[in-house]
Each structure stands twice: as structure tokens, then as C-alpha cells.
Amino acid sequence: MGFARACSVALVGVEGVVVEVQADLEPGVAAFTLVGLPDKSLVESRDRVRAAVVNSGAEWPQKKLTVGLSPASVPKSGSGFDLAVACAVLGAAERIDPAMIADVVMIGELGLDGRVRPVRGVLPAVLAAAEAGYEQVVVPEQTAGEAALVPGISVLGVRSLRQLIAVLCDEPVPEEPADGQGRPDAMLAGLMIPGTGLGTGLAPAAARGDGHRPDLADVAGQLRPRQALEVAAAGGHHLLLSGPPGAGKTMLAERLSAVLPPLTRQESLEVTAVHSVAGILPPGEPLVSRAPYCAPHHSATMQSLVGGGNGIPRPGAVSLAHRGVLFLDEAPEFSGKALDALRQPLESGHVVVARAAGVVRLPARFLMVLAANPCPCGRHTLTGAGCECPPSVVRRYQARLSGPLLDRVDLRVEVEPVDRADLLAQGGRGESTEVVAARVRDARARATERLAGTPWTTNSEVPGHELRTRLLVAPGALAAAERDLERGILTARGLDRVLRVAWTVADLRAADRPDASDVAVALELRTGIQRGVPMGAGER
């Protein structure tokens, strides 16, 4: 009787569970049994592995073969177990030394000719292996750069099963010819899910492939919305842009991700793990270093926003926008069920999706930007524009954004139509993205220094209790906010969010703590009521 084991990783959402792949050979009628709660794509690995082993020059054992995936209670899906199954079978057949593969994590799909094809989710899988104490992983050659992002792990990238057998047996490693030149690499097809790649609004703004980076200087006029955009980027505050069509709401939102600071190493790993599992990680770019930008269409379902799908839930738009921008254009056109599903991730920074196949916790700490017209025709706020929407239709349209959802939005700005002088550049161009991004980086650095030693890094994450007890504003600065609270203009959550915005405004002007004018600016951005203070975020 021959026995051998290797290791692989089962992904549940963006978290991994190390799975021990055990192979047992017994005398009897030749058969191949796979147990351990596999899905359809994993059951089919029996035929892929058999053909790959034979075409790699190894002999397939003509005995009763049982392959078990342990722990058997964890659902397992995908083709990433092929490499571990093949090596466990060869170890049981004594083609390779079982001791050489017992503590090696193997991830990869096998082609019928023995080539090792890349799979999605390599980064979170290797992270799970490192947390479990494993030090060696074998991955497809195309994803070796992604796996190497994990510190303390020895990564071996292989192109074929034949090469891996030679490495494990200390034999000369054969050269594998590359595919024909001048055509796309078919081996990379498994890394991208059709329909979620470039051009669908579910990819980082820097990866759209047209070579153009939107600049804030392209926006004509719109001084107040530009300043609100700067405050949103500096503190991570959610933003609502309302106004008639053609005023520039979408232009402003598309330029927000470029204003955000580059991701830290830990944030980059978090974002890359989500994008790798979702299948939108661009080939050749193993690490996402800039804030992602996600703009789903208003016909998106609740499952596509928060996550879901058949079997194990997959990341939705809120997770794809983790550490970046989630832009909901024409927000009132989204279904009320989908919009209200955003309440929990807006507060907690993660989303928990429960399905019959299991419960998955997905990261979802994003900056939300809503864009809305004042009425179905969009001309309700324009003087003499001829809006024919009845008042009841206008009220019903505006009520699609529920009060509890809007209460979680820190900044609400009216985007006015652009006048002729601004549109024809007679008023001069505004500040560029580079200038605004520099101020945002400085403001975030001040907030990070102030919040050192706490689990928070931006003002939008600080709980209200801390703002009212430890991070105190100047004496008397909250008088206006307290009056609004008593009049019912602000809720308790609204007061906390005003305090957070006030701290961000103070950081932008390099003040030690907010004063009455900073709170007034925050109140004006929150309620839209004029307070008689200048709106300049970076200066007075």
C-alpha cells in the first residue's frame, strides 16, 4: 500500500484554508475516487490529472486510487488543486519521494499536456499558507510574482508538471518551449473572468488601457464641489453630488481616485487579494498600488453590489472598491434594496454574506460617491429650463435615496451649471490633481500622526465617543452644531460626522484642532445651509 500527501489551499471568499491532499494506493481494480466535498470543477480534475501525468512521461498507477481532501467539511472549488493531487498520486506511486512534498503547498491547474495553468486567488492562498506556518509554495510561473509578495515564503514557479517532477527528484530540469509569439498568451485566460475585466467599471482607473489619466484641471469652474472633493479625499468622507445633467458630477468623481494617496503595503495586499479572487487583477501587475475605482451601472443587483452568487459568495462592487472609490452614478435609479444594502458596509468597513454554502466576510472599506439629478428630467433646479415634472414625481424621485443612507453621507454638495467664462477657459484653469493630491497627503499624514497607537488611520474611521471625549475641538466651536442637533437638523450620527469633517478641514489648513469656522464649514458641507464662511479647505 502506498500513501503520500501534499498541501493546497481552499478559498472561502478572500480567506484561505490549508487543505491536505492525501493519496492512497491499494491493490484492486484500477479506479480513481475523489472525496472531501469537491465541486464539479474539482471532480473533473480526475481526468485532467491522469492525462497530465501520462503526457509528462510518468506512469499512471494501475491500482485502486483514493484521493482525500482534508478537512472534508470545508467546501472546495476550482481547479487549483490539480497540481497537489498529481504530486500526491506520484508520491504514493513512489515516482517522487513522499517526504519531499509533505510540507509543500501547491497551487495550479493542469492542462492535459502537463502544462501548469495559472488560477485566480494565488495571493490570498499564499497568505493563508504563510499564516499556517508553511514556508514553501509551488505556483504557476505566470503568478510567481504575485506569490512572492508574501514575506517569508519560498516560491517556486513552474511551467509544467514535468519540470516540477524533475525539481523534486533532483533531475535535470527540462526546458519548456514558449507559445507562439505575436498572439495573446492563452495561459493567462484563467486569471480573468469574462465580463469583469477592463471597460466594465469594475477595474482600477489606472488599468483602463487608454493611456489617459483624468486631471482635476480638466474640470471647468465648480470651486465648491472641487473643495468638497478635496475634503472627501483627505478624510475618507462619503460624498453626494447633486445637480442638473452636464454640470460635471461624473467628471469630478472619476478624478477622485487619483487624488487619494498611494496605498500602503498592507492596503495594497488587501486590495490585490480581493482583485485576484475576483479575476480582475491585470496580468503582469501582481500588486495594486493605487486606489481602485469601481463604477457599477445603475441596473446592478444587490448581489453584484455587496457580493453573492451561486455556491460560495464572490466579492461584489463594495469589495472591489476596497480602499478606493465606489461611484454610483444616477444613484436614484438604483433599486432601493440595493442602495439600502450599503448601510452596513458604510458603517463597519466589511460585509458579511450568508448563503447556504457558507458565510463569507469580505472587506469593504471604501469611499462612496453618489451622483444624483434633482428630478427625472434633471431640470428642476434650473431657472427657466422648462421642467415639467409634477411635484409628486420630484418628491418620489428624491426619496429613492433613503434617509438612513443619506445620514451616512458626510458631504452633500450642489453642483451648479458651468457658466460661459469657466467653460471657455476665460476664468483660468483650476488646480491640477498633483497639487491637490499633495495637500491631501499632508492632511492624511497629520491625521495618521494624531491617531498613532489607535486602530484608525483616517478621520472618517474615528468613533464618535473618541471625538467627544479624547479628540476635543476648540472651546465653543460646537455651538452651531449643538443648535442644529436641538432643532432636529442633525442626528446624533450626523453630529459625529460633522466633527470628523471638521477635523479634516483643520488638517487641510495645518491647524492643531478645529475651531468654530472649521465646524461651520463642516456644517455647510453636511446640511447645505450657508454659514457665511469661506469654503476654501486648504486656507482661510
Side-chain angles (χ1 to χ4, degrees):
M1 181 180 70
F3 176 83
R5 61 190 177 107
C7 295
S8 192
V9 178
L11 288 177
V12 182
V14 294
E15 299 177 353
V17 178
V18 176
V19 173
E20 188 175 276
V21 180
Q22 305 168 344
D24 177 70
L25 282 175
E26 297 178 356
V29 178
F32 188 169
T33 305
L34 183 64
V35 298
L37 213 58
D39 72 341
K40 179 65 175 176
S41 62
L42 186 50
V43 168
E44 293 174 349
S45 69
R46 294 178 300 185
D47 301 316
R48 292 194 302 269
V49 170
R50 181 186 293 108
V53 169
V54 173
N55 289 328
S56 297
E59 182 180 352
W60 183 259
Q62 297 300 318
K63 295 182 179 180
K64 181 181 179 181
L65 171 62
T66 303
V67 174
L69 308 175
S70 178
S73 59
V74 177
K76 303 164 190 73
S77 61
S79 56
F81 293 86
D82 289 2
L83 201 58
V85 171
C87 288
V89 171
L90 292 175
E94 298 182 352
R95 172 63 178 84
I96 58 179
D97 185 2
M100 295 290 295
I101 60 174
D103 295 321
V104 179
V105 175
M106 301 180 183
I107 304 165
E109 175 186 337
L110 285 175
L112 299 184
D113 56 354
R115 290 183 302 169
V116 180
R117 301 180 62 91
V119 294
R120 298 183 300 270
V122 167
L123 177 59
V126 177
L127 283 170
E131 292 175 359
Y134 291 87
E135 299 178 352
Q136 293 179 317
V137 296
V138 178
V139 298
E141 186 181 53
Q142 292 87 343
T143 58
E146 184 180 345
L149 297 174
V150 182
I153 286 286
S154 175
V155 178
L156 173 62
V158 295
R159 187 175 294 179
S160 67
L161 178 61
R162 189 182 299 106
Q163 287 185 338
L164 179 57
I165 294 174
V167 171
L168 294 175
C169 297
D170 198 18
E171 300 172 355
V173 179
E175 289 291 335
E176 294 292 341
D179 288 340
Q181 301 297 322
R183 60 184 181 183
D185 188 357
M187 297 287 284
L188 297 176
L191 296 177
M192 300 291 290
I193 299 178
T196 59
L198 307 181
T200 62
L202 295 180
R208 296 196 169 181
D210 54 8
H212 173 67
R213 285 185 178 274
D215 196 302
L216 267 177
D218 301 333
V219 181
Q222 304 298 359
L223 177 61
R224 180 167 298 187
R226 287 170 59 99
Q227 292 163 344
L229 204 74
E230 182 176 342
V231 173
H237 306 288
H238 306 304
L239 173 64
L240 168 63
L241 300 172
S242 58
K249 303 185 294 293
T250 303
M251 285 187 68
L252 288 164
E254 288 178 343
R255 285 149 179 79
L256 179 55
S257 61
V259 177
L260 294 175
L263 301 177
T264 64
R265 175 75 177 185
Q266 179 60 35
E267 292 171 346
S268 294
L269 290 176
E270 295 174 6
V271 174
T272 303
V274 175
H275 287 202
S276 179
V277 170
I280 64 172
L281 192 64
E285 298 181 20
L287 185 66
V288 179
S289 59
R290 297 199 60 82
Y293 172 82
C294 184
H297 191 259
H298 61 256
S299 61
T301 62
M302 183 185 71
Q303 289 77 13
S304 66
L305 283 181
V306 300
N310 297 327
I312 297 296
R314 302 186 63 84
V318 296
S319 296
L320 300 179
H322 181 59
R323 302 295 182 183
V325 177
L326 176 66
F327 177 46
L328 303 182
D329 200 4
E330 305 293 345
E333 300 294 343
F334 282 80
S335 69
K337 185 178 180 182
L339 288 175
D340 289 337
L342 300 177
R343 297 185 197 174
Q344 179 203 0
L346 285 175
E347 287 289 331
S348 62
H350 64 267
V351 60
V352 178
V353 183
R355 295 291 184 270
V359 179
V360 173
R361 184 180 187 272
L362 300 168
R365 188 168 297 281
F366 56 90
L367 196 164
M368 182 179 69
V369 180
L370 302 175
N373 294 327
C375 66
C377 75
R379 300 190 297 269
H380 179 65
T381 57
L382 299 179
T383 304
C387 175
E388 298 179 354
C389 299
S392 59
V393 173
V394 175
R395 287 195 301 270
R396 188 161 54 249
Y397 184 82
Q398 295 177 351
R400 293 180 182 178
L401 299 178
S402 64
L405 177 64
L406 291 180
D407 199 35
R408 291 165 167 82
V409 178
D410 302 343
L411 313 174
R412 306 173 191 177
V413 181
E414 186 74 24
V415 183
E416 302 291 344
V418 183
D419 57 29
R420 183 179 61 182
D422 289 328
L423 188 60
L424 300 179
Q426 296 174 10
R429 288 167 58 90
E431 292 179 319
S432 66
T433 297
E434 185 178 355
V435 174
V436 177
R439 286 203 300 268
V440 169
R441 285 195 299 269
D442 294 340
R444 287 225 177 183
R446 280 186 281 272
T448 302
E449 182 180 357
R450 181 175 62 252
L451 298 174
T454 69
W456 316 296
T457 56
T458 60
N459 293 322
S460 62
E461 301 173 4
V462 182
H465 176 73
E466 292 288 324
L467 293 170
R468 295 188 298 270
T469 57
R470 192 169 69 87
L471 301 175
L472 300 178
V473 301
L478 286 178
E482 292 170 354
R483 288 195 299 268
D484 285 359
L485 181 64
E486 293 174 355
R487 296 171 182 169
I489 300 176
L490 284 180
T491 63
R493 180 192 287 119
L495 178 62
D496 291 342
R497 293 187 175 274
V498 166
L499 282 173
R500 295 168 184 167
V501 175
W503 273 105
T504 301
V505 175
D507 287 336
L508 283 169
R509 65 182 186 89
D512 293 335
R513 58 178 177 172
D515 56 17
S517 61
D518 296 324
V519 175
V521 171
L523 282 171
E524 185 168 336
L525 290 171
R526 171 78 182 182
T527 63
I529 302 173
Q530 298 293 330
R531 305 283 171 167
V533 293
M535 284 294 296
E539 56 183 351
R540 281 284 180 263

